[in-house]
Amino acid sequence: INAEYMGTIKMSNLISHLEKFEVNFQNKDAPKGMHPDIICLGHKLRNNQITGTNARCFAILITLRKIIEEYRGSPETINKNISVLLDEVRAYLRTARKLGSGVESYLDNLKLSIFNSNRDIGLGLTKKLSDDIGDFIDQKIRKADDLIIKNGLELINDDDVILTFGRSYVVERLLRECKKKFHLIIVDNPPYYEGRQMALRLARQIPITYTCISGVAYFMRKVQKVFLGASSMLSNGALISRVGTAMISCIAHMYRKPVLVFCETYKFSEKTQLDSLSENELADPQALLEPGDKTTAINLRYDLTPRNYINMVITETGLIPPTSIPVMLRELTRIQGTN
């Protein structure tokens, strides 16, 4: 048995607990009675037509709100019916993509709200839930991003050289709205090359250097700050973000460059994770290979950056060190409990 084969077996054992990427998702039959908008959304998530944690969260909640508003069932069983609907929608969308800790947490809270609602509210429950979803989108995403950008603008100085990785919506918007003169280095990574979209959107306004992740060590010595987006911040201060983020942060730490993570508090998670393999999401392995290539590929979507590689987390509540994430989680839980 050759060493390459044994190496493949060992690597397969490391990720055997992760849900396998289903190649034939396009031909998969949706559950009977599933709303066509949810089926359409599932295919868009699967095909990477909607990328980024905020964009996926926004799309899921907007679609869910529309379905709840269209509910025309019996007022006597509305609480049970909508609760079952939420479970079915969540289960189907999970087969397309991991929903993310922020969406999962909010959907749990939405179910709790249904459970605690007065059984006599009838069809008024649909308006209550619709308003709740609208408030979450407005407060936790739109206004949160406005405040994060306001805080982030104070961190950019004239003639700064800023490095970012991939494409983060809030980082892109921050850089677009900044009126100071600075140089931007965009680091990108196959197979999705999300950074190209950011480069195309910002090239007319900002001087940009575009490079693949293999060249990041060369450019890091010229950088003053590293700006990163987040999929989630864990309770131990670790960052979950697109694969390659940990490498960028490690090299920045080696060169003693400040790493600043821009993250809305709804993405804060009670979970603790010490590595990138205990929990992750597998993407299409063929996306990493040339046509006809028979190599066994593993395409992880995320990696974990330890908190000692992160200098500051910029949130809508202000700038906090990653060691303060548990304190923020306790405070957010307390506020939620009083509402």
Side-chain angles (χ1 to χ4, degrees):
I1 300 175
N2 62 42
E4 182 179 352
Y5 176 72
M6 289 301 297
T8 301
I9 292 176
K10 290 178 181 178
M11 181 56 72
S12 297
N13 289 338
L14 282 174
I15 63 166
S16 60
H17 61 287
L18 300 178
E19 187 174 344
K20 300 294 185 290
F21 182 85
E22 193 173 338
V23 178
N24 296 320
F25 180 81
Q26 304 296 337
N27 301 322
K28 185 176 180 180
D29 292 331
K32 187 176 179 181
M34 182 62 66
H35 197 287
D37 285 357
I38 292 295
I39 297 172
C40 180
L41 175 61
H43 284 273
K44 286 181 178 179
L45 294 174
R46 184 64 164 197
N47 296 330
N48 296 306
Q49 291 176 262
I50 303 174
T51 58
T53 306
N54 278 352
R56 285 187 289 124
C57 178
F58 183 83
I60 290 167
L61 294 185
I62 286 291
T63 306
L64 189 59
R65 182 169 68 170
K66 178 185 176 184
I67 293 169
I68 290 173
E69 289 173 345
E70 291 176 355
Y71 177 82
R72 295 294 181 268
S74 169
E76 288 77 17
T77 58
I78 186 171
N79 296 59
K80 178 183 176 181
N81 292 347
I82 292 186
S83 184
V84 170
L85 173 66
L86 280 178
D87 289 338
E88 291 176 347
V89 167
R90 189 194 293 206
Y92 175 71
L93 291 180
R94 279 174 178 164
T95 65
R97 278 293 308 271
K98 252 186 108 172
L99 300 188
S101 59
V103 178
E104 292 279 15
S105 177
Y106 177 69
L107 293 180
D108 286 339
N109 291 333
L110 204 61
K111 280 199 69 176
L112 185 62
S113 176
I114 295 170
F115 180 79
N116 293 330
S117 295
N118 190 324
R119 293 296 185 268
D120 298 328
I121 193 172
L123 294 177
L125 179 63
T126 59
K127 184 179 187 311
K128 178 178 180 294
L129 296 177
S130 176
D131 290 345
D132 191 283
I133 293 173
D135 288 343
F136 180 88
I137 292 171
D138 188 53
Q139 297 294 328
K140 296 296 185 179
I141 301 180
R142 288 176 176 150
K143 289 184 178 177
D145 285 348
D146 290 341
L147 292 170
I148 289 172
I149 289 165
K150 181 180 178 182
N151 294 329
L153 288 172
E154 299 176 4
L155 302 172
I156 302 176
N157 302 314
D158 281 320
D159 301 320
D160 269 351
V161 178
I162 297 170
L163 183 143
T164 190
F165 177 54
R167 180 180 180 239
S168 162
Y169 167 78
V170 69
V171 171
E172 179 183 318
R173 194 178 144 201
L174 164 66
L175 298 172
R176 189 191 305 120
E177 293 185 13
C178 183
K179 303 303 180 185
K180 296 176 183 176
K181 294 181 179 180
F182 62 93
H183 188 89
L184 178 63
I185 298 174
I186 297 177
V187 181
D188 215 352
N189 201 24
Y192 303 115
Y193 294 104
E194 296 173 273
R196 287 179 182 171
Q197 299 176 43
M198 182 186 282
L200 291 171
R201 291 170 184 265
L202 298 178
R204 294 183 180 180
Q205 180 182 345
I206 303 168
I208 290 174
T209 299
Y210 176 87
T211 182
C212 280
I213 198 168
S214 55
V216 68
Y218 172 80
F219 289 101
M220 190 63 75
R221 67 191 73 185
K222 306 176 182 181
V223 168
Q224 274 79 51
K225 302 177 183 78
V226 177
F227 285 3
L228 299 174
S231 176
S232 179
M233 290 296 302
L234 306 183
S235 61
N236 61 347
L239 164 68
I240 301 293
S241 192
R242 59 179 51 81
V243 68
T245 302
M247 176 179 168
I248 302 287
S249 304
C250 178
I251 294 173
H253 181 76
M254 184 176 68
Y255 280 92
R256 300 189 179 185
K257 306 295 183 179
V259 174
L260 308 175
V261 176
F262 294 79
C263 182
E264 301 85 351
T265 55
Y266 88 88
K267 296 178 184 175
F268 286 11
S269 172
E270 296 280 359
K271 292 181 180 179
T272 297
Q273 199 174 319
L274 299 177
D275 59 67
S276 301
L277 295 178
S278 57
E279 186 174 337
N280 210 311
E281 180 182 358
L282 292 174
D284 185 3
Q286 295 302 316
L288 295 172
L289 303 176
E290 296 292 332
D293 194 339
K294 301 299 182 182
T295 306
T296 300
I298 297 171
N299 188 4
L300 294 174
R301 283 196 181 269
Y302 303 106
D303 64 19
L304 179 143
T305 302
R307 71 184 185 189
N308 55 307
Y309 291 164
I310 301 168
N311 295 84
M312 201 66 66
V313 182
I314 293 83
T315 73
E316 65 266 32
T317 60
L319 282 65
I320 61 172
T323 50
S324 294
I325 299 293
V327 180
M328 282 292 299
L329 280 167
R330 286 197 296 270
E331 185 64 18
L332 290 168
T333 303
R334 184 190 65 80
I335 292 171
Q336 186 178 335
T338 58
N339 288 338

